[in-house]
Amino acid sequence: MTMRNKYFLLIAVFLFVSTTGLAQRRTVRLPIRLNRTDTSRIVRNYLDSMNIYRAKYDSLARVNAELQQSLDGRYYRLFAPATFYHSAANQQLSLNPDGTDEVANAVDAALMNIYLSRPDLIRSSENHLQCVGGILDDVNVQQTQNTQITQLTGDTQPTTIVPPETITPDDTPDVVLITKPNFWEFKGDYYLQFLQNFISGNWHKGGESNYAMLGSITLEANYNNKQKLKWDNKLEMKLGFQTSRSDTVHKFKSNNDILRLTSKLGLQAHDKWYYTLKLLAYTQFTRGLKSNDEFIYSDFFSPFDLNVALGMDYTVEAFDKKLTGNVNISPFSYNFRYVGRLNLATRFGLEEGKHTLHDFGSSVSADLMWKLSDQVTWKTRLYAFTSYKRALIEWENTVELKISRFITTNLYVYPRFDDSGARDDDLGYLQFMEYCSLGFSYSF
């Protein structure tokens, strides 16, 4: 490179550096001007927003304070799920009601009005609450929040909010208690029904006055581990008596007599199907009699039936769970019959002079409940057993009309077919029983 070119390159570099430095100095020296009017407007808008939020918070704080002052735990029963409390009934039925607590009395009166007008809404009771954990004793204790708000110290300073203090219980458990889930469910149904029929001696169509009473108890204890195992147990006891003027031999005689135990052990096969081992045992409480006849037609353990069946069980849930129950199909079934009174052996299909009868066959059963409405419920039970030599079919139907929580009327229809006994001239092997009654009932 010649000397001339070197000088030219040196001058070009000097001009480039000088121009860049001058541009940087000019950029740094440019002043940033802020409009004071704009700055005051931003600050003012910010303070206005803070004042608005403070006013809203103060309003919410006043409303919360008013609610805390007026909070009374005695009103809890009106807003909790509908439950039958003892105090409401005791206050109405007591001869000397307690009038010292006006609020509690007003709540009891409101609850009693619900019990009488809408008993269908009541789904639980105080006894059930006591069983599952009890009722809290501190329901009337007022709970308050510890919240503080600092005052403004100037027009330009924002509001400072102190968060509420954390309230810790005095007695903090040192260990975590884990309770085992309860897979048992207990249910019961009781009713006592009465029937009275009076006919004067000169009634133009004839007839006879009579009185009847019927009591029934149904108890259930069901186990379900929500996985694959179920064990259902039901004990049914029903006993009724009647009296009539024309019967000079018996003052009372039974008109309905059932003592029955049903037990099913199920192992889930698929969805609602279960492999099931079923046991059915039934007899009666007292002697079976007829008007003006001293002959005993049936008695306790005369007969006694025990049926053991192996099959499958299907759980029924239809029409939004208004129709519930189960259907059992058992292709392998064993039936044992025992008759304690030898003179009744042939009446129940046994050979003369023998107490026992063994049968092998198949059985089908269905136990369903259909809630047609809030007041009408239909319960049906179908049982059929055949040894391929004889057949037994029973179909019990009970239509329950709920008048109030404790008053119901029942229509009971019970056709039965049994070809192991003597044949009737009119009905053959078909038997039939029906009654309609009114009385008290209670379920839990």
Side-chain angles (χ1 to χ4, degrees):
M1 181 180 296
T2 62
M3 184 63 66
R4 182 180 181 179
N5 292 336
K6 291 182 179 180
Y7 284 119
F8 179 78
L9 178 60
L10 182 61
I11 293 171
V13 172
F14 176 76
L15 291 175
F16 176 76
V17 173
S18 300
T19 306
T20 304
L22 180 60
Q24 291 178 353
R25 285 195 298 271
R26 288 180 179 178
T27 304
V28 173
R29 290 176 181 176
L30 286 176
I32 300 176
R33 298 180 180 274
L34 293 177
N35 192 333
R36 293 186 176 180
T37 304
D38 296 337
T39 303
S40 61
R41 185 171 62 251
I42 293 174
V43 174
R44 186 170 59 255
N45 292 339
Y46 173 76
L47 294 178
D48 291 341
S49 300
M50 294 302 297
N51 289 330
I52 292 174
Y53 282 113
R54 180 201 174 193
K56 292 182 178 180
Y57 188 84
D58 291 343
S59 178
L60 292 176
R62 286 194 300 270
V63 172
N64 183 56
E66 293 176 358
L67 290 177
Q68 293 293 342
Q69 293 177 359
S70 61
L71 183 62
D72 194 333
R74 290 173 293 181
Y75 293 103
Y76 165 78
R77 296 182 295 168
L78 296 177
F79 302 97
T83 304
F84 178 77
Y85 295 98
H86 298 162
S87 61
N90 294 338
Q91 189 69 12
Q92 295 294 326
L93 300 177
S94 177
L95 297 178
N96 296 314
D98 184 11
T100 57
D101 194 337
E102 297 181 357
V103 174
N105 294 338
V107 173
D108 289 337
L111 291 175
M112 181 56 65
N113 185 34
I114 296 175
Y115 298 158
L116 298 177
S117 60
R118 292 300 304 274
D120 55 291
L121 299 178
I122 311 303
R123 300 302 182 189
S124 182
S125 64
E126 187 171 334
N127 289 335
H128 181 261
L129 295 180
Q130 296 290 353
C131 293
V132 300
I135 302 176
L136 295 177
D137 296 330
D138 58 349
V139 69
N140 290 329
V141 177
Q142 184 177 2
Q143 303 293 333
T144 59
Q145 296 181 352
N146 187 8
T147 304
Q148 297 179 357
I149 303 175
T150 60
Q151 301 294 331
L152 289 175
T153 59
D155 296 337
T156 60
Q157 295 184 6
T159 303
T160 301
I161 301 176
V162 180
E165 297 179 0
T166 303
I167 302 176
T168 57
D170 296 335
D171 299 327
T172 304
D174 297 330
V175 296
V176 177
L177 179 62
I178 301 177
T179 59
K180 184 179 180 181
N182 184 14
F183 298 123
W184 283 95
E185 180 184 8
F186 301 94
K187 297 188 294 184
D189 186 14
Y190 313 86
Y191 67 79
L192 182 62
Q193 308 283 331
F194 299 93
L195 178 64
Q196 183 269 338
N197 182 28
F198 174 77
I199 299 177
S200 63
N202 60 347
W203 184 248
H204 68 289
K205 291 185 178 181
E208 181 183 12
S209 301
N210 60 79
Y211 302 90
M213 180 183 68
L214 174 65
S216 174
I217 300 176
T218 302
L219 302 175
E220 294 187 43
N222 302 324
Y223 176 87
N224 187 354
N225 65 357
K226 307 299 182 180
Q227 295 180 359
K228 289 184 175 295
L229 186 63
K230 287 177 61 177
W231 184 23
D232 298 336
N233 302 275
K234 179 190 287 187
L235 178 62
E236 301 170 86
M237 297 175 285
K238 186 182 297 184
L239 182 60
F241 293 97
Q242 69 175 9
T243 179
S244 57
R245 296 179 180 179
S246 63
D247 189 359
T248 58
V249 178
H250 310 290
K251 187 174 182 180
F252 296 97
K253 53 183 178 291
S254 63
N255 59 356
N256 200 322
D257 195 348
I258 296 176
L259 176 59
R260 180 167 57 218
L261 173 65
T262 305
S263 181
K264 291 188 301 181
L265 181 63
L267 181 65
Q268 188 176 26
H270 175 70
D271 196 13
K272 297 182 180 180
W273 285 95
Y274 288 80
Y275 300 110
T276 305
L277 178 63
K278 179 179 179 181
L279 182 143
L280 175 64
Y282 57 96
T283 182
Q284 61 188 62
F285 286 99
T286 62
R287 300 175 178 179
L289 306 171
K290 291 185 179 181
S291 296
N292 296 312
D293 189 352
E294 295 183 355
F295 183 78
I296 298 175
Y297 289 85
S298 61
D299 201 354
F300 180 70
F301 266 66
S302 293
F304 167 76
D305 283 271
L306 175 66
N307 183 275
V308 180
L310 182 63
M312 296 199 71
D313 194 87
Y314 178 76
T315 302
V316 178
E317 289 183 353
F319 305 113
D320 295 331
K321 294 187 178 181
K322 292 184 178 180
L323 176 61
T324 57
N326 57 80
V327 178
N328 183 271
I329 303 174
S330 301
F332 307 103
S333 183
Y334 163 72
N335 191 84
F336 169 76
R337 175 171 289 181
Y338 174 82
V339 179
R341 292 178 176 269
L342 287 178
N343 61 331
L344 300 179
T346 57
R347 177 177 173 80
F348 295 106
L350 279 68
E351 296 182 5
E352 187 174 358
K354 291 190 175 181
H355 288 284
T356 60
L357 174 65
H358 304 271
D359 281 331
F360 295 90
S362 304
S363 62
V364 177
S365 64
D367 196 347
L368 303 173
M369 183 178 70
W370 192 352
K371 193 170 184 179
L372 301 174
S373 66
D374 293 338
Q375 287 75 32
V376 181
T377 303
W378 173 38
K379 299 178 181 179
T380 181
R381 170 189 170 271
L382 175 66
Y383 172 73
F385 170 81
T386 178
S387 64
Y388 308 107
K389 292 182 180 180
R390 69 178 185 90
L392 170 64
I393 303 175
E394 298 177 338
W395 188 23
E396 295 182 65
N397 297 273
T398 303
V399 178
E400 180 183 274
L401 175 61
K402 182 178 293 185
I403 300 176
S404 68
R405 178 174 174 81
F406 301 107
I407 304 296
T408 60
T409 180
N410 289 346
L411 174 62
Y412 183 76
V413 181
Y414 185 6
R416 186 177 186 272
F417 178 88
D418 186 2
D419 59 1
S420 63
R423 179 182 176 87
D424 186 77
D425 296 334
D426 297 329
L427 299 177
Y429 295 111
L430 181 64
Q431 306 170 20
F432 190 81
M433 182 175 66
E434 178 271 337
Y435 67 81
C436 183
S437 59
L438 174 69
F440 301 97
S441 67
Y442 177 72
S443 301
F444 70 91

